[in-house]
Amino acid sequence: MAGADLGPFLDPRLRGIAETVEAGGRLSPDDGLAVATSPDLLGVGRLANHVRERLHGGAAFFNVNRHLNPTNVCVASCALCAFAEKYGGPRGWTYTVEQAVEVAARDVTEKVTELHIVGGLHPKLGVEYYEALFRALKRRFPWVHLKALTMVELDFLAQRAKLPVEEVVRRLAAAGLDSCPGGGAEIFAERVRKQICDHKTSGERWIEIARTVHRLGLKSNCTMLYGHIESAEERVDHLVRLRALQDETGGFQCFIPLAFHPAHTRLDHLAPTTGKLDLQTVALSRLMLDNIPHVKAYWIMLGAKAAQVALHFGADDLDGTVVDERITLAAGGEAGAGMARRDLEHLIREARRVPVERTTLYEPVAPTTSATAEPPVPQTV
C-alpha cells in the first residue's frame, strides 16, 4: 500500500490496520477493537469494502427461500425474545408434520431452493418429529435444501432424548437435513448471556455443537446478535472465537450480524441499533473473519435500505426472499411478508453490484441477466 493511500483516514489507528489489510494479514483483537470503536465510519467501510471486493468482486449474492417455523412454543424464557410462547400459552402454535408441509407448500415453487427451518424448544417435540418432518418435506419438495435447526435446538433435542449430539445430527441428516443455520449464538460472553438468554445453551456449548456438525460433514452459518447490552470488546471476542473454530473446521460458510430489535421483549427499554452501529458491525465482521467466505447484510433485521448500503461496507449477500419470517416480525420488524426477487435484484443493481442467485451452499443457480446492472466502482484502500 502506497503511503499516499493512507491520507484519507481520520482515525490514525486505521493506518496500521490498513497496511495489514492490504498485505492480507490477520487483524488482532486490539485491531478489531480499534475498528469497532473508530469514529471514522467511512474509513472503516473502505477497508472492509476492499476485502469484500478482493474476495467477491462486484457480486452480491441472494437466494429464493422460504422460512418455516414449526412451533413458537419454548421452554426457555430469554429476555431478548419476542417470538416464543410458553407451553399452553395463548399465542402458541405447533404444527403437525402434515400442517407444516402444507404451510410450506403455500409459497414453495420450483424456484425456491431453500427452506430455513427454526422454532422454539418445544417440550413435546423430539428427534422423531423432526425426522418425520424432514422426510415429508423431502418427499414433497425433493429439490429444496433443508437448512434447519440451530445449535441450540440440536442441543435441546439431544438432551431431551438423552442422546449424544453426534447421533442426533446423524439421524437428522439421514432424514434430510442438509445444513444448519447460525442462530442462537447471540453473544458468547457469559456476562451478557446471563442477562439476555440465561436459559439457553452456553457460548462454549454452542461452539462445541457447531464443531460436531462440521465434523459430520454439514456446513452451517454463524451469527452474532449485537446492539443490546454487549460491549465493543465482547463483540470482538465473539468474532475471534468464531474465527478460531473456522480455522479448525472450515465449516462456516457465512456470517450474519443480527441487529437486535428490542420491541416486545423484556429489553424493550433499550434503543434500537443505529445506522452507524449496523454498518460498523458489518465492516468489523468482514475485517475480522478473514477465513469465513461470506458476510450477510440480513435485510430483514437491517432494513432494505441499510442492507443495500452494507454492500459497500463488507457485505456480499442479502439473504433472500425470506417469505413468512416471524421471529423479527414479533419484535417489531416489518418485513415478515418477504421481498420479491425483482425487488432484491433492484436493490443490488442500484448499489452498483451484480446480483448472483445462489443455492444455500453458494453454488450459482443460473446466470442472472445483468445488462442493466452498473459495474461496481473499484475502490482502493
Side-chain angles (χ1 to χ4, degrees), residues 62-66 108-116 138 141 143-147 178 321 357-360 363 365:
F62 71 97
N63 69 344
V64 179
N65 61 346
R66 190 207 193 284
V108 173
T109 69
E110 70 280 359
K111 299 292 186 182
V112 173
T113 60
E114 173 190 288
L115 273 171
H116 178 114
K138 283 294 188 181
F141 318 111
W143 67 92
V144 173
H145 181 108
L146 301 184
K147 185 179 76 179
D178 293 307
T321 49
E357 185 183 351
R358 60 166 175 83
T359 67
T360 305
E363 300 153 335
V365 171

Side-chain angles (χ1 to χ4, degrees), residues 111 176 187 190 201 260:
K111 299 292 186 182
I187 286 285
E190 188 62 24
T201 302
F260 179 57

Side-chain angles (χ1 to χ4, degrees), residues 296-354:
K296 185 178 294 184
Y298 187 42
W299 67 265
I300 289 283
M301 283 186 160
L302 289 179
K305 294 177 182 179
Q308 182 187 41
V309 176
L311 292 176
H312 288 275
F313 276 74
D316 63 276
D317 192 306
L318 287 183
D319 200 278
T321 49
V322 196
V323 176
D324 199 22
E325 195 282 337
R326 302 190 189 186
I327 295 175
T328 310
L329 184 68
E334 299 177 352
M339 186 185 296
R341 172 182 173 147
R342 65 178 178 276
D343 294 330
L344 269 175
E345 291 188 330
H346 176 66
L347 282 177
I348 292 169
R349 289 192 172 108
E350 208 177 45
R352 299 177 65 82
R353 298 300 192 192
V354 178

Side-chain angles (χ1 to χ4, degrees), residues 234-350:
E234 286 162 336
R235 289 196 292 275
V236 172
D237 170 73
H238 186 97
L239 297 174
V240 168
R241 295 199 216 185
L242 289 174
R243 188 172 71 181
L245 182 59
Q246 182 74 344
D247 279 344
E248 180 184 338
T249 70
F252 293 130
Q253 56 185 3
C254 182
F255 173 76
I256 309 103
L258 300 174
F260 179 57
H261 285 242
H264 312 306
T265 75
R266 298 205 307 275
L267 299 172
D268 62 2
H269 59 284
L270 299 176
T273 62
T274 63
K276 180 180 186 296
L277 179 60
D278 290 336
L279 294 174
Q280 197 149 8
T281 303
V282 170
L284 171 69
S285 305
R286 181 65 284 165
L287 290 167
M288 291 299 293
L289 299 176
D290 53 71
N291 55 2
I292 296 180
H294 301 279
V295 171
K296 185 178 294 184
Y298 187 42
W299 67 265
I300 289 283
M301 283 186 160
L302 289 179
K305 294 177 182 179
Q308 182 187 41
V309 176
L311 292 176
H312 288 275
F313 276 74
D316 63 276
D317 192 306
L318 287 183
D319 200 278
T321 49
V322 196
V323 176
D324 199 22
E325 195 282 337
R326 302 190 189 186
I327 295 175
T328 310
L329 184 68
E334 299 177 352
M339 186 185 296
R341 172 182 173 147
R342 65 178 178 276
D343 294 330
L344 269 175
E345 291 188 330
H346 176 66
L347 282 177
I348 292 169
R349 289 192 172 108
E350 208 177 45

Side-chain angles (χ1 to χ4, degrees), residues 27-47:
L27 299 193
S28 69
D30 286 343
D31 291 334
L33 185 58
V35 170
T37 58
S38 176
D40 187 359
L41 178 62
L42 295 181
V44 165
R46 195 154 47 88
L47 286 170

Side-chain angles (χ1 to χ4, degrees), residues 25-246:
R26 170 163 285 188
L27 299 193
S28 69
D30 286 343
D31 291 334
L33 185 58
V35 170
T37 58
S38 176
D40 187 359
L41 178 62
L42 295 181
V44 165
R46 195 154 47 88
L47 286 170
N49 189 60
H50 178 83
V51 175
R52 177 246 194 273
E53 291 191 351
R54 184 166 64 199
L55 291 171
H56 305 293
F61 300 94
F62 71 97
N63 69 344
V64 179
N65 61 346
R66 190 207 193 284
H67 281 217
L68 176 63
N69 305 120
T71 184
N72 72 332
V73 174
C74 191
V75 299
S77 180
C78 299
L80 59 82
C81 186
F83 170 76
E85 177 62 286
K86 64 183 179 181
Y87 185 69
R91 295 189 305 107
W93 76 80
T94 301
Y95 298 141
T96 65
V97 168
E98 294 75 18
Q99 288 171 330
V101 172
E102 290 310 311
V103 167
R106 297 171 190 167
D107 303 293
V108 173
T109 69
E110 70 280 359
K111 299 292 186 182
V112 173
T113 60
E114 173 190 288
L115 273 171
H116 178 114
I117 306 169
V118 297
L121 308 179
H122 194 298
K124 303 292 185 181
L125 300 185
V127 180
E128 296 80 7
Y129 170 85
Y130 287 99
E131 288 177 306
L133 175 61
F134 295 162
R135 289 191 178 107
L137 290 169
K138 283 294 188 181
R139 283 194 299 270
R140 185 73 171 269
F141 318 111
W143 67 92
V144 173
H145 181 108
L146 301 184
K147 185 179 76 179
L149 302 179
T150 66
M151 308 309 158
V152 174
E153 290 171 281
L154 293 173
D155 190 27
F156 177 76
L157 290 174
Q159 290 185 45
R160 185 183 182 278
K162 297 181 172 60
L163 292 172
V165 170
E166 181 173 347
E167 183 175 341
V168 169
V169 174
R170 288 186 188 279
R171 284 175 54 175
L172 294 172
L177 175 66
D178 293 307
S179 70
C180 293
E186 319 309 0
I187 286 285
F188 291 145
E190 188 62 24
R191 178 194 74 84
V192 178
R193 295 185 84 85
K194 286 179 179 178
Q195 298 179 65
I196 68 170
C197 56
D198 59 330
H199 296 88
K200 188 174 283 187
T201 302
S202 71
E204 291 77 9
R205 178 69 172 159
W206 192 98
I207 290 172
E208 179 184 341
I209 294 169
R211 179 182 291 113
T212 298
V213 166
H214 297 167
R215 184 166 50 81
L216 293 175
L218 296 183
K219 295 291 187 180
S220 80
N221 293 336
C222 52
T223 62
M224 176 178 69
L225 186 72
Y226 68 90
H228 39 87
I229 64 169
E230 89 289 355
S231 66
E233 291 88 347
E234 286 162 336
R235 289 196 292 275
V236 172
D237 170 73
H238 186 97
L239 297 174
V240 168
R241 295 199 216 185
L242 289 174
R243 188 172 71 181
L245 182 59
Q246 182 74 344

